[in-house]
Amino acid sequence: MAKITIAGDAIIVTSGKSLKALKTLEEYRPKALRLVETDENGKKEEIFRVETAAAAGSINQNGATFASETHDEAKLATITIPVPAGTENVIDYAAKLVGKAVVRLNKVEAGIDDALAEVEAENAEVMANITVI
């Protein structure tokens, strides 16, 4: 599950999943990184998407782009956002800025383990069918 941490003048959104896992799904199961809702007319609409990037990450109510990871063994995907100078209540600021997005991110993350298991099983099957002579 993703979480919000405030450290000094930074808001850090830390995914519950590794950057490597997100990149794997981006390549093999990009739909697993999307949150889709059905409107009152039965039409499906993407409301949130998780991606990775080579440069800086970002997050808003429509999606999260992860570009860095924690510096421990877990290598969880992170996004760091500076807190503007003069911000009086950083907790309220963080809640308004990324709260809704983190709730949506957690909904996407709920299905990631199953999608990763499928990808790993398919990759194992592919590897089992490769013969080098």
Side-chain angles (χ1 to χ4, degrees), residues 74-98:
K75 303 288 185 194
L76 299 176
T78 63
I79 300 167
T80 303
I81 306 160
V83 175
T87 301
E88 290 188 25
N89 188 330
V90 71
I91 294 171
D92 286 346
Y93 177 76
K96 283 183 180 179
L97 187 66
V98 297

Side-chain angles (χ1 to χ4, degrees), residues 24-25 28-29 112-130:
T24 297
L25 289 180
Y28 294 103
R29 288 281 190 292
I112 285 180
D113 289 339
D114 289 340
L116 279 173
E118 289 176 8
V119 169
E120 289 171 4
E122 286 178 6
N123 286 344
E125 183 178 345
V126 168
M127 297 308 279
N129 287 301
I130 296 174

Side-chain angles (χ1 to χ4, degrees), residues 22 25-38 44-52 61-64 66 101 103-112 115:
L22 298 179
L25 289 180
E26 199 169 39
E27 180 177 354
Y28 294 103
R29 288 281 190 292
K31 288 184 179 180
L33 297 175
R34 298 177 187 158
L35 181 59
V36 177
E37 288 186 351
T38 304
K44 292 185 177 188
E45 178 183 10
E46 179 180 307
I47 62 165
F48 194 81
R49 179 183 293 206
V50 177
E51 300 175 320
T52 65
Q61 69 180 9
N62 300 314
F66 290 93
V103 168
R104 288 180 170 181
L105 174 59
N106 284 331
K107 289 179 182 179
V108 171
E109 287 188 357
I112 285 180

